[in-house]
Amino acid sequence: MKKYVLDLTVNSVERLSPKHVLIRLTDSKPLPEMLPGQFVEVRVDGSPTTFLRRPISINFVDRVQNELWLMVAMIGDGTRQLGNLKAGDTLNCVLPLGNSFTLPTQMSEKPSYLLVGGGVGMAPMLYLGAQLKEMGINPTFLLGGRTKADILELDLFNKFGRVCITTEDGSWGEKGFVTNHSVLTERFDRIFTCGPKPMMVAVARYAKEKNIDCEVSLENMMACGLGACLCCVEKTTEGNLCVCKEGAIFNVKRLLWQI
């Protein structure tokens, strides 16, 4: 897909939790085509300690409003600066980057898909779920967090499929990790997941045990987003690959994870 460097205008910045914001961006022209699982590299202006762009997953694309949504976890100087953006500000973005989750092309029957998101890894699951819904597939979302405050955009997830929740402290949904949820007693045709690596490894292990195809969205440290700097390399069955260029979506069968 063609890549663009765009100065996008901030429509709004919504505080989702004490440490998360939702940034809605727009342009004077229709936004480029973007696929679920892809990401953007954003330039952080006004931060004396941030020299590299920050990779942010595509949370949602609203074609009616011509908006790109980015969910940002404010955990460092750069992301905190992004959280301070205001409506009318400009954000320079390189997009769309990376590959995408595998969407069905031909369906004799509607498959059963499980979308597992943990922490800010919930973000790309929303756009994926919306795309599946458009195709006539009702996905099941399994969202996990440490506490109730970590479960974000629940009203939107509910529009696109069934939502199951786990929290480590039991403040919402079932207590424990996503791999402890009772929905995993059901049978699924494919699993997509994004979140902390230990969570994704556990989900991949479950998928292997149940012989379910599984794709993961890796969150390796990325700087350029184009495969030039080599800082996001992942060991795979095909050798060392740049996550930003060859991923960030990988079938777990390609990864040298001990599952």
Side-chain angles (χ1 to χ4, degrees):
M1 294 178 65
K2 184 177 178 179
K3 298 174 178 59
Y4 300 82
V5 182
L6 300 176
D7 284 322
L8 299 180
T9 301
V10 177
N11 264 355
S12 65
V13 180
E14 177 185 354
R15 182 62 63 96
L16 299 179
S17 79
K19 62 180 180 180
H20 296 91
V21 294
L22 177 64
I23 303 173
R24 293 183 174 92
L25 303 166
T26 192
D27 196 18
S28 58
K29 299 178 181 179
L31 291 168
E33 178 187 4
M34 288 172 270
L35 300 174
Q38 291 186 307
F39 65 98
V40 306
E41 286 272 359
V42 302
R43 190 180 69 206
V44 182
D45 297 324
S47 173
T49 62
T50 307
F51 305 103
L52 301 173
R53 289 178 179 266
R54 290 294 183 264
I56 308 292
S57 297
I58 293 172
N59 178 220
F60 191 71
V61 180
D62 185 336
R63 290 296 174 188
V64 175
Q65 300 296 326
N66 195 40
E67 286 184 341
L68 164 64
W69 297 8
L70 302 179
M71 183 193 294
V72 177
M74 298 178 291
I75 56 177
D77 289 343
T79 48
R80 282 195 292 269
Q81 191 69 29
L82 293 175
N84 290 328
L85 289 169
K86 300 291 188 296
D89 287 346
T90 298
L91 187 63
N92 184 270
C93 301
V94 182
L95 77 162
L97 297 173
N99 61 357
S100 65
F101 291 108
T102 303
L103 298 176
T105 53
Q106 296 180 343
M107 295 182 292
S108 56
E109 297 181 1
K110 292 182 180 179
S112 178
Y113 286 172
L114 178 66
L115 282 54
V116 185
V120 77
M122 285 181 273
M125 297 296 114
L126 183 67
Y127 189 37
L128 174 59
Q131 293 291 294
L132 292 173
K133 184 73 172 180
E134 278 192 13
M135 302 176 71
I137 299 171
N138 293 314
T140 296
F141 298 102
L142 177 53
L143 309 178
R146 292 178 179 173
T147 71
K148 181 178 180 179
D150 296 317
I151 307 300
L152 310 173
E153 300 185 309
L154 183 59
D155 56 334
L156 297 172
F157 279 108
N158 277 317
K159 290 183 178 180
F160 303 123
R162 176 176 55 148
V163 179
C164 303
I165 295 171
T166 65
T167 50
E168 293 178 31
D169 65 355
S171 55
W172 204 357
E174 297 187 14
K175 185 176 182 178
F177 302 115
V178 291
T179 46
N180 302 131
H181 199 282
S182 58
V183 75
L184 296 183
T185 59
E186 301 178 17
R187 176 66 190 182
F188 295 96
D189 298 308
R190 176 168 285 188
I191 297 175
F192 304 96
T193 185
C194 182
K197 185 174 180 179
M199 184 207 80
M200 291 194 293
V201 170
V203 171
R205 185 177 296 116
Y206 164 83
K208 182 178 180 181
E209 291 171 355
K210 301 297 182 180
N211 195 30
I212 303 172
D213 202 51
C214 179
E215 291 185 352
V216 300
S217 177
L218 299 187
E219 296 184 323
N220 296 33
M221 183 68 69
M222 302 178 196
C224 71
L226 302 171
C229 68
L230 305 180
C231 74
C232 65
V233 166
E234 179 77 18
K235 294 181 179 179
T236 75
T237 57
E238 304 150 52
N240 292 336
L241 297 179
C242 289
V243 169
C244 67
K245 186 177 180 180
E246 305 297 333
I249 312 303
F250 288 87
N251 191 295
V252 293
K253 295 177 182 177
R254 299 176 65 194
L255 302 176
L256 299 182
W257 287 1
Q258 298 301 312
I259 59 174

